[in-house]
Amino acid sequence: MTSIALGMPGIRQSGSPASAFTWFDVATDPAGWETLASRTVPGMFHRQPLLKAHAYGNGRPVGIVLQREGGPPVALGAVLRETPRRSLQLLSFPALAATADPELACRLVDWLRMEGIAEVRIGSFTSGAEGYRRPPAATIQERLEFVWDLGGGTEQRFRALGSGHRRNLRKLLQRDLAIRKIGSWPAERMAWLHVAWARRRGQELPLAQLLQLYRYYRTLDRTLTRSGIGHLYGLYDRAGTLLSHAYMLECDGMAFYMIGASSPAGYRLNASLRLFWELGELYVRRGFGVLHFGGVPADAISKNHDEYGLFRFKIGFGIEPVSRISLSIKNEE
């Protein structure tokens, strides 16, 4: 196993017999890391491409390996930042059922404190700190994640839809619309639809924000699309007009919705409903078991919340949301 000290100055090699954790230099041995991360449950957000996509600015992907007696090692992918304070961000955390160690979050934070990490964030994409004992003084954030079970048949999934979604989908299925994978100029298309989305809300994005937005989408394309994990799908009308798009992550038999938007015409048509229905059918044919719609803050259930509309859209697929817990910890100096 590669020690992080080989390629990351400022962090010493660790992992004595008294500690179950060791650093892994992801940049030096990316293939070895991918093999380890593929065994973590769930593992998508521990993979190197996802870490690179979130390591914008001064961040860099790192790995932590948990060695377990009587069980396979668990890979924890993270993003390390040296400034302004040394901090570590995990995008996700292994499910408690996979580790059977309720103290894991506390032990990890204690170990990172000894390693000189001043701030720790445990994220909750697909799985978070739910069920684990929480480190002292941890700040808790709860969100609701929507996991669409693609088991059963098409008719069963249709009956499970909310009444509004069923009514609208019947009308949409009568239209001559088609879903296609977008292979050219993905960053530009995503930026264009984001601008259209902002204008629909009465917002005009300044040039500096537009450039930042485009760079973000270009980063997704370079790190995720080119690695084969990220795929951009669009819904088109008969004239070839792009109505709605969704950037999907596909890994380990699971699809995860990362980002998307609709044009003004697509919004009026409710094209995103047809897009996700078609994506569900596509993933069933490909043998995927679930489609993750991502999540919303837990208080988005309130009608006064900015993301209440997203909450209503996602729950309209007949999905029972799952509570996910993220933690932020500031270690004492």
Side-chain angles (χ1 to χ4, degrees):
M1 186 160 298
T2 309
S3 165
I4 200 169
L6 297 177
M8 304 186 66
I11 295 183
R12 68 186 185 279
Q13 180 177 356
S14 58
S16 65
S19 172
F21 301 105
T22 55
W23 291 107
F24 191 105
D25 190 345
V26 176
T28 300
D29 187 7
W33 177 254
E34 288 301 282
T35 299
L36 281 174
S38 67
R39 300 170 184 164
T40 299
V41 180
M44 176 185 287
F45 285 90
H46 297 278
R47 298 293 190 97
Q48 185 191 30
L50 269 298
L51 300 177
K52 289 178 65 176
H54 287 81
Y56 43 81
N58 63 346
R60 49 182 167 172
V62 298
I64 298 171
V65 179
L66 166 64
Q67 302 287 353
R68 298 187 299 158
E69 292 185 8
V74 175
L76 305 175
V79 174
L80 176 71
R81 290 184 170 85
E82 298 287 352
T83 57
R85 303 176 71 199
R86 179 172 285 180
S87 64
L88 193 85
Q89 176 190 11
L90 290 92
L91 306 179
S92 182
F93 206 63
L96 178 59
T99 67
D101 183 1
E103 302 295 321
L104 179 59
C106 292
R107 293 196 297 111
L108 175 64
V109 169
D110 287 342
W111 178 75
L112 290 171
R113 181 185 298 114
M114 293 187 292
E115 292 293 297
I117 305 297
E119 297 181 5
V120 181
R121 176 168 174 79
I122 297 176
S124 58
F125 287 118
T126 69
S127 180
E130 52 273 4
Y132 289 95
R133 189 169 73 84
R134 295 159 190 171
T139 300
I140 301 168
Q141 291 179 313
E142 182 183 0
R143 66 185 187 90
L144 301 175
E145 189 170 75
F146 296 80
V147 184
W148 194 17
D149 184 356
L150 298 178
T154 298
E155 184 60 32
Q156 180 180 337
R157 286 189 296 277
F158 186 84
R159 289 197 305 267
L161 298 176
S163 59
H165 273 28
R166 286 200 306 271
R167 182 172 59 253
N168 291 329
L169 185 58
R170 283 193 183 99
K171 296 177 182 178
L172 285 165
L173 289 172
Q174 295 174 5
R175 291 181 172 269
D176 188 7
L177 306 175
I179 184 176
R180 298 202 299 265
K181 185 179 288 189
I182 300 175
S184 60
W185 308 102
E188 288 77 5
R189 293 174 190 269
M190 285 192 284
W192 171 73
L193 281 186
H194 189 105
V195 169
W197 172 84
R199 286 176 175 170
R200 192 174 71 239
R201 294 192 166 196
Q203 304 171 5
E204 285 293 335
L205 303 181
L207 180 59
Q209 190 173 348
L210 285 174
L211 291 175
Q212 184 179 18
L213 187 67
Y214 171 70
R215 285 196 295 266
Y216 170 68
Y217 290 139
R218 188 175 59 179
T219 297
L220 295 185
D221 184 45
R222 290 178 173 178
T223 57
L224 299 177
T225 308
R226 297 183 186 182
S227 69
I229 289 180
H231 303 273
L232 182 62
Y233 295 92
L235 186 73
Y236 294 83
D237 63 14
R238 180 184 296 182
T241 303
L242 178 60
L243 300 173
S244 184
H245 79 250
Y247 192 71
M248 304 296 299
L249 308 178
E250 301 170 2
C251 184
D252 301 329
M254 178 179 71
F256 187 95
Y257 167 60
M258 187 171 186
I259 198 166
S262 296
S263 69
Y267 178 75
R268 291 191 297 269
L269 191 64
N270 201 3
S272 57
L273 174 57
R274 172 75 181 266
L275 173 61
F276 281 106
W277 179 259
E278 298 291 352
L279 281 172
E281 296 297 284
L282 171 68
Y283 287 129
V284 167
R285 292 193 296 271
R286 292 176 54 189
F288 283 57
V290 296
L291 190 163
H292 283 250
F293 275 92
V296 297
D299 52 3
I301 61 175
S302 169
K303 293 182 179 180
N304 298 322
H305 196 278
D306 289 343
E307 296 190 39
Y308 176 73
L310 280 175
F311 169 78
R312 295 299 303 167
F313 177 77
K314 295 177 180 182
I315 207 169
F317 282 84
I319 303 169
E320 184 68 28
V322 180
S323 176
R324 301 295 191 201
I325 302 296
S326 298
L327 303 177
S328 297
I329 304 102
K330 290 187 177 181
N331 287 327
E332 297 179 359
E333 297 288 347

